[in-house]
Amino acid sequence: MNALGRHILVEFYDCSPELMNDVVHIENSMVAAAETAGATVINSTFHHFSPYGVSGVVVIQESHLAIHTWPEFGYAAVDLFTCGDSVDPWVSYTFLKEAFEAGHGSSMELRRGQLNLLKRTDFNLEALRDVSQKPNDVPGTITRDVWFTERDENIALSLKHSGNQLYKKDSDYQRVEVFETLAYGNMLTLDGMVMCTQKDEYVYHEMITHVPMFSHRKAKRALVIGGGDGGTVRELLRHEQLEEVTLVEIDELVIEACKLHLPETAVAFDNPRLNLLVEDGIKYINECEDGRYDLIIVDSADPVGPGEGLFTAEFYQQVHRCLTPDGVMITQSESPRFNSAVFVEIYDTYKQIFGESKVHCYLAAIPTYPTGTWSFSYSSKGDSSPLIYDKTAAAKFSKEQGLKYYNEDIHAAAFALPNFVKELLNKGSQEIIEQYSAEPTNE
């Protein structure tokens, strides 16, 4: 060679959009492309961005391979840089073109470090050498750094995962995936949005269930719309007073994925008191008889995709009709800090249907949800109040059931709202919304 290294700038066109958005496939392909060319792989770092796009680099002993993808264009920009003459980067090029199902590719090769322009300098190698090898730098091993990123307009959550995707299927409604994260265990995502993880799901599920159950002690029949992960019905079925719990989940793949990879949440699907229905929750509510349920929990995803119809006044009016005279509706009501406009709008809707004095907001800390602060709504058709509850019974229940978040003090404390949340709920002007929202208001 007449140069220190070979650098190939590659553009792959007409690639499979699905593969261009698959961080696991891309990371595996890039590592394999390096190894096939004879390179020694040291480290791989890859990020998947929501809703689409992957960036990453494979560090090799002979330099690196890097990539960024645009799935919406079926396009990938790739750098293949190898030092010395022991590795042929064109082998990697051919491998990746096939792995990405590219229609065609273009490339330009640069010779880096032209030897006739360089002057060799003698120096003491011993002075530059590390004192000792780090314990985990075992020769022949690869350090993998693969990341999932849920990215919105102004904020993002990144979680490192093992690189081995546990579950990935497309239903008629959404893409259902499970990743093995290092910080939070197995994580369920729908269309690239985090739904729950093994290590923090208990916060959401305990707070959406036990607050109403200890405030409405006469509840016998409960309905859950959504919640195919099983965590909400798991918590409800801890209460022996409930004679029947009906779960209506539109997507059977959510149930399947959680049974396989989040068994702690899906543990109650065989309970004899559970009536599991795989169907459209909106259709079920519209056809439900008047006054059937004491408690209805709307355990929905964000107002996009199949969950969009669960955020309308028409739907909540139907829920109100299906409640007994003293029934209660509980919903996850988004983050007051993340998308303040949606937060304000849905509470205004609840108040119009249930009455202003009968709608209450309460909060919980959920690390993997946008901003970490999440809200729930308590709307009563009758005189039930969330702050009138049996504190002694709640304390006993929390201890006996081994709950991880809910207890008798958290029950009341969750309704102590920060001043900015009170402002949003009481005023809700566009100026107030813009002051607090982390996302654009599109106004």
mmCIF file of all heavy atoms in Angstrom, residues 285-313:
data_model
loop_
_atom_site.group_PDB
_atom_site.id
_atom_site.type_symbol
_atom_site.label_atom_id
_atom_site.label_comp_id
_atom_site.label_asym_id
_atom_site.label_seq_id
_atom_site.Cartn_x
_atom_site.Cartn_y
_atom_site.Cartn_z
ATOM 1 N N ILE A 285 -67.557 -0.673 24.309
ATOM 2 C CA ILE A 285 -68.220 0.349 25.128
ATOM 3 C C ILE A 285 -69.523 0.809 24.482
ATOM 4 O O ILE A 285 -70.549 0.984 25.147
ATOM 5 C CB ILE A 285 -67.268 1.547 25.365
ATOM 6 C CG1 ILE A 285 -66.261 1.215 26.471
ATOM 7 C CG2 ILE A 285 -68.031 2.806 25.746
ATOM 8 C CD1 ILE A 285 -66.849 1.145 27.869
ATOM 9 N N ASN A 286 -69.492 0.993 23.179
ATOM 10 C CA ASN A 286 -70.700 1.456 22.482
ATOM 11 C C ASN A 286 -71.844 0.458 22.589
ATOM 12 O O ASN A 286 -73.017 0.840 22.579
ATOM 13 C CB ASN A 286 -70.388 1.730 21.008
ATOM 14 C CG ASN A 286 -69.528 2.961 20.805
ATOM 15 O OD1 ASN A 286 -69.466 3.833 21.673
ATOM 16 N ND2 ASN A 286 -68.852 3.030 19.668
ATOM 17 N N GLU A 287 -71.501 -0.819 22.690
ATOM 18 C CA GLU A 287 -72.530 -1.864 22.756
ATOM 19 C C GLU A 287 -72.829 -2.322 24.179
ATOM 20 O O GLU A 287 -73.725 -3.152 24.392
ATOM 21 C CB GLU A 287 -72.086 -3.060 21.914
ATOM 22 C CG GLU A 287 -71.930 -2.738 20.427
ATOM 23 C CD GLU A 287 -71.375 -3.891 19.609
ATOM 24 O OE1 GLU A 287 -71.006 -4.923 20.245
ATOM 25 O OE2 GLU A 287 -71.291 -3.769 18.379
ATOM 26 N N CYS A 288 -72.103 -1.778 25.151
ATOM 27 C CA CYS A 288 -72.273 -2.184 26.555
ATOM 28 C C CYS A 288 -73.609 -1.674 27.106
ATOM 29 O O CYS A 288 -74.056 -0.572 26.766
ATOM 30 C CB CYS A 288 -71.118 -1.634 27.380
ATOM 31 S SG CYS A 288 -71.198 -2.008 29.148
ATOM 32 N N GLU A 289 -74.225 -2.469 27.960
ATOM 33 C CA GLU A 289 -75.488 -2.046 28.571
ATOM 34 C C GLU A 289 -75.259 -0.917 29.565
ATOM 35 O O GLU A 289 -74.167 -0.748 30.115
ATOM 36 C CB GLU A 289 -76.130 -3.233 29.290
ATOM 37 C CG GLU A 289 -75.319 -3.760 30.468
ATOM 38 C CD GLU A 289 -75.867 -5.050 31.040
ATOM 39 O OE1 GLU A 289 -75.542 -6.114 30.484
ATOM 40 O OE2 GLU A 289 -76.622 -4.976 32.025
ATOM 41 N N ASP A 290 -76.301 -0.123 29.805
ATOM 42 C CA ASP A 290 -76.221 0.989 30.748
ATOM 43 C C ASP A 290 -75.914 0.485 32.153
ATOM 44 O O ASP A 290 -76.442 -0.548 32.594
ATOM 45 C CB ASP A 290 -77.542 1.768 30.779
ATOM 46 C CG ASP A 290 -77.820 2.496 29.472
ATOM 47 O OD1 ASP A 290 -76.962 2.453 28.580
ATOM 48 O OD2 ASP A 290 -78.905 3.101 29.353
ATOM 49 N N GLY A 291 -75.064 1.209 32.856
ATOM 50 C CA GLY A 291 -74.840 0.963 34.276
ATOM 51 C C GLY A 291 -74.287 -0.404 34.621
ATOM 52 O O GLY A 291 -74.569 -0.929 35.697
ATOM 53 N N ARG A 292 -73.478 -0.991 33.765
ATOM 54 C CA ARG A 292 -73.002 -2.356 34.027
ATOM 55 C C ARG A 292 -71.831 -2.399 34.996
ATOM 56 O O ARG A 292 -71.725 -3.315 35.810
ATOM 57 C CB ARG A 292 -72.606 -3.039 32.720
ATOM 58 C CG ARG A 292 -71.905 -4.373 32.956
ATOM 59 C CD ARG A 292 -71.905 -5.274 31.777
ATOM 60 N NE ARG A 292 -71.202 -6.521 32.073
ATOM 61 C CZ ARG A 292 -71.688 -7.542 32.771
ATOM 62 N NH1 ARG A 292 -72.920 -7.461 33.265
ATOM 63 N NH2 ARG A 292 -70.969 -8.628 32.996
ATOM 64 N N TYR A 293 -70.919 -1.418 34.943
ATOM 65 C CA TYR A 293 -69.671 -1.534 35.680
ATOM 66 C C TYR A 293 -69.547 -0.500 36.806
ATOM 67 O O TYR A 293 -69.911 0.661 36.651
ATOM 68 C CB TYR A 293 -68.479 -1.381 34.728
ATOM 69 C CG TYR A 293 -68.334 -2.550 33.780
ATOM 70 C CD1 TYR A 293 -68.751 -2.441 32.452
ATOM 71 C CD2 TYR A 293 -67.807 -3.764 34.213
ATOM 72 C CE1 TYR A 293 -68.627 -3.518 31.585
ATOM 73 C CE2 TYR A 293 -67.679 -4.838 33.355
ATOM 74 C CZ TYR A 293 -68.092 -4.717 32.037
ATOM 75 O OH TYR A 293 -67.969 -5.791 31.194
ATOM 76 N N ASP A 294 -68.997 -0.969 37.924
ATOM 77 C CA ASP A 294 -68.706 -0.084 39.057
ATOM 78 C C ASP A 294 -67.429 0.710 38.814
ATOM 79 O O ASP A 294 -67.285 1.823 39.317
ATOM 80 C CB ASP A 294 -68.534 -0.910 40.340
ATOM 81 C CG ASP A 294 -69.750 -1.761 40.641
ATOM 82 O OD1 ASP A 294 -70.835 -1.192 40.812
ATOM 83 O OD2 ASP A 294 -69.603 -3.005 40.679
ATOM 84 N N LEU A 295 -66.506 0.123 38.080
ATOM 85 C CA LEU A 295 -65.214 0.755 37.820
ATOM 86 C C LEU A 295 -64.800 0.476 36.382
ATOM 87 O O LEU A 295 -64.827 -0.669 35.935
ATOM 88 C CB LEU A 295 -64.147 0.189 38.769
ATOM 89 C CG LEU A 295 -62.681 0.585 38.518
ATOM 90 C CD1 LEU A 295 -62.488 2.092 38.682
ATOM 91 C CD2 LEU A 295 -61.746 -0.182 39.459
ATOM 92 N N ILE A 296 -64.459 1.543 35.656
ATOM 93 C CA ILE A 296 -63.931 1.397 34.302
ATOM 94 C C ILE A 296 -62.579 2.095 34.248
ATOM 95 O O ILE A 296 -62.473 3.288 34.560
ATOM 96 C CB ILE A 296 -64.873 1.987 33.236
ATOM 97 C CG1 ILE A 296 -66.212 1.231 33.230
ATOM 98 C CG2 ILE A 296 -64.217 1.917 31.850
ATOM 99 C CD1 ILE A 296 -67.220 1.772 32.226
ATOM 100 N N ILE A 297 -61.557 1.334 33.888
ATOM 101 C CA ILE A 297 -60.193 1.873 33.765
ATOM 102 C C ILE A 297 -59.814 1.911 32.293
ATOM 103 O O ILE A 297 -59.858 0.883 31.616
ATOM 104 C CB ILE A 297 -59.182 1.010 34.547
ATOM 105 C CG1 ILE A 297 -59.505 1.044 36.053
ATOM 106 C CG2 ILE A 297 -57.755 1.496 34.300
ATOM 107 C CD1 ILE A 297 -58.597 0.156 36.896
ATOM 108 N N VAL A 298 -59.488 3.096 31.814
ATOM 109 C CA VAL A 298 -59.031 3.249 30.430
ATOM 110 C C VAL A 298 -57.506 3.247 30.455
ATOM 111 O O VAL A 298 -56.868 4.260 30.729
ATOM 112 C CB VAL A 298 -59.584 4.541 29.792
ATOM 113 C CG1 VAL A 298 -59.162 4.620 28.322
ATOM 114 C CG2 VAL A 298 -61.103 4.596 29.919
ATOM 115 N N ASP A 299 -56.956 2.082 30.193
ATOM 116 C CA ASP A 299 -55.503 1.871 30.247
ATOM 117 C C ASP A 299 -54.968 1.952 28.820
ATOM 118 O O ASP A 299 -54.588 0.952 28.215
ATOM 119 C CB ASP A 299 -55.215 0.507 30.872
ATOM 120 C CG ASP A 299 -53.729 0.244 31.069
ATOM 121 O OD1 ASP A 299 -52.922 1.119 30.706
ATOM 122 O OD2 ASP A 299 -53.384 -0.838 31.567
ATOM 123 N N SER A 300 -54.960 3.150 28.278
ATOM 124 C CA SER A 300 -54.652 3.338 26.863
ATOM 125 C C SER A 300 -53.229 3.798 26.653
ATOM 126 O O SER A 300 -52.575 4.306 27.562
ATOM 127 C CB SER A 300 -55.600 4.381 26.267
ATOM 128 O OG SER A 300 -55.418 5.620 26.923
ATOM 129 N N ALA A 301 -52.768 3.630 25.417
ATOM 130 C CA ALA A 301 -51.503 4.237 25.006
ATOM 131 C C ALA A 301 -51.756 5.711 24.724
ATOM 132 O O ALA A 301 -52.833 6.240 24.997
ATOM 133 C CB ALA A 301 -50.959 3.520 23.771
ATOM 134 N N ASP A 302 -50.758 6.396 24.170
ATOM 135 C CA ASP A 302 -50.921 7.802 23.823
ATOM 136 C C ASP A 302 -51.961 7.962 22.716
ATOM 137 O O ASP A 302 -52.282 6.995 22.015
ATOM 138 C CB ASP A 302 -49.582 8.392 23.383
ATOM 139 C CG ASP A 302 -48.592 8.479 24.530
ATOM 140 O OD1 ASP A 302 -49.030 8.549 25.688
ATOM 141 O OD2 ASP A 302 -47.369 8.465 24.269
ATOM 142 N N PRO A 303 -52.486 9.186 22.527
ATOM 143 C CA PRO A 303 -53.559 9.396 21.543
ATOM 144 C C PRO A 303 -53.077 9.360 20.101
ATOM 145 O O PRO A 303 -53.230 10.324 19.346
ATOM 146 C CB PRO A 303 -54.108 10.770 21.926
ATOM 147 C CG PRO A 303 -52.975 11.473 22.573
ATOM 148 C CD PRO A 303 -52.223 10.413 23.314
ATOM 149 N N VAL A 304 -52.472 8.238 19.718
ATOM 150 C CA VAL A 304 -52.056 8.005 18.328
ATOM 151 C C VAL A 304 -52.350 6.544 18.014
ATOM 152 O O VAL A 304 -52.482 5.715 18.910
ATOM 153 C CB VAL A 304 -50.556 8.303 18.103
ATOM 154 C CG1 VAL A 304 -50.266 9.773 18.260
ATOM 155 C CG2 VAL A 304 -49.682 7.483 19.048
ATOM 156 N N GLY A 305 -52.451 6.224 16.734
ATOM 157 C CA GLY A 305 -52.678 4.838 16.344
ATOM 158 C C GLY A 305 -53.980 4.307 16.895
ATOM 159 O O GLY A 305 -54.991 5.007 16.951
ATOM 160 N N PRO A 306 -53.998 3.027 17.354
ATOM 161 C CA PRO A 306 -55.241 2.425 17.829
ATOM 162 C C PRO A 306 -55.782 3.076 19.098
ATOM 163 O O PRO A 306 -56.937 2.890 19.436
ATOM 164 C CB PRO A 306 -54.849 0.953 18.087
ATOM 165 C CG PRO A 306 -53.376 0.977 18.259
ATOM 166 C CD PRO A 306 -52.869 2.079 17.374
ATOM 167 N N GLY A 307 -54.938 3.845 19.821
ATOM 168 C CA GLY A 307 -55.397 4.502 21.049
ATOM 169 C C GLY A 307 -56.053 5.844 20.823
ATOM 170 O O GLY A 307 -56.611 6.440 21.756
ATOM 171 N N GLU A 308 -56.020 6.339 19.586
ATOM 172 C CA GLU A 308 -56.501 7.690 19.325
ATOM 173 C C GLU A 308 -57.976 7.851 19.664
ATOM 174 O O GLU A 308 -58.401 8.861 20.218
ATOM 175 C CB GLU A 308 -56.254 8.053 17.855
ATOM 176 C CG GLU A 308 -56.578 9.486 17.511
ATOM 177 C CD GLU A 308 -56.154 9.841 16.098
ATOM 178 O OE1 GLU A 308 -55.688 8.937 15.372
ATOM 179 O OE2 GLU A 308 -56.299 11.018 15.726
ATOM 180 N N GLY A 309 -58.789 6.835 19.331
ATOM 181 C CA GLY A 309 -60.228 6.926 19.577
ATOM 182 C C GLY A 309 -60.608 6.893 21.037
ATOM 183 O O GLY A 309 -61.766 7.168 21.391
ATOM 184 N N LEU A 310 -59.651 6.549 21.915
ATOM 185 C CA LEU A 310 -59.930 6.510 23.352
ATOM 186 C C LEU A 310 -59.751 7.877 23.995
ATOM 187 O O LEU A 310 -59.860 8.003 25.218
ATOM 188 C CB LEU A 310 -59.014 5.487 24.037
ATOM 189 C CG LEU A 310 -59.087 4.055 23.494
ATOM 190 C CD1 LEU A 310 -58.119 3.156 24.234
ATOM 191 C CD2 LEU A 310 -60.498 3.507 23.608
ATOM 192 N N PHE A 311 -59.489 8.903 23.205
ATOM 193 C CA PHE A 311 -59.282 10.255 23.725
ATOM 194 C C PHE A 311 -60.307 11.220 23.125
ATOM 195 O O PHE A 311 -59.975 12.335 22.769
ATOM 196 C CB PHE A 311 -57.865 10.751 23.413
ATOM 197 C CG PHE A 311 -56.797 10.138 24.276
ATOM 198 C CD1 PHE A 311 -56.346 8.856 24.040
ATOM 199 C CD2 PHE A 311 -56.238 10.853 25.325
ATOM 200 C CE1 PHE A 311 -55.358 8.293 24.836
ATOM 201 C CE2 PHE A 311 -55.247 10.294 26.128
ATOM 202 C CZ PHE A 311 -54.808 9.008 25.884
ATOM 203 N N THR A 312 -61.565 10.801 23.031
ATOM 204 C CA THR A 312 -62.609 11.654 22.471
ATOM 205 C C THR A 312 -63.752 11.812 23.461
ATOM 206 O O THR A 312 -64.002 10.932 24.297
ATOM 207 C CB THR A 312 -63.166 11.066 21.164
ATOM 208 O OG1 THR A 312 -63.838 9.820 21.458
ATOM 209 C CG2 THR A 312 -62.052 10.811 20.156
ATOM 210 N N ALA A 313 -64.464 12.934 23.337
ATOM 211 C CA ALA A 313 -65.605 13.184 24.213
ATOM 212 C C ALA A 313 -66.678 12.110 24.037
ATOM 213 O O ALA A 313 -67.324 11.686 25.004
ATOM 214 C CB ALA A 313 -66.188 14.569 23.926
#
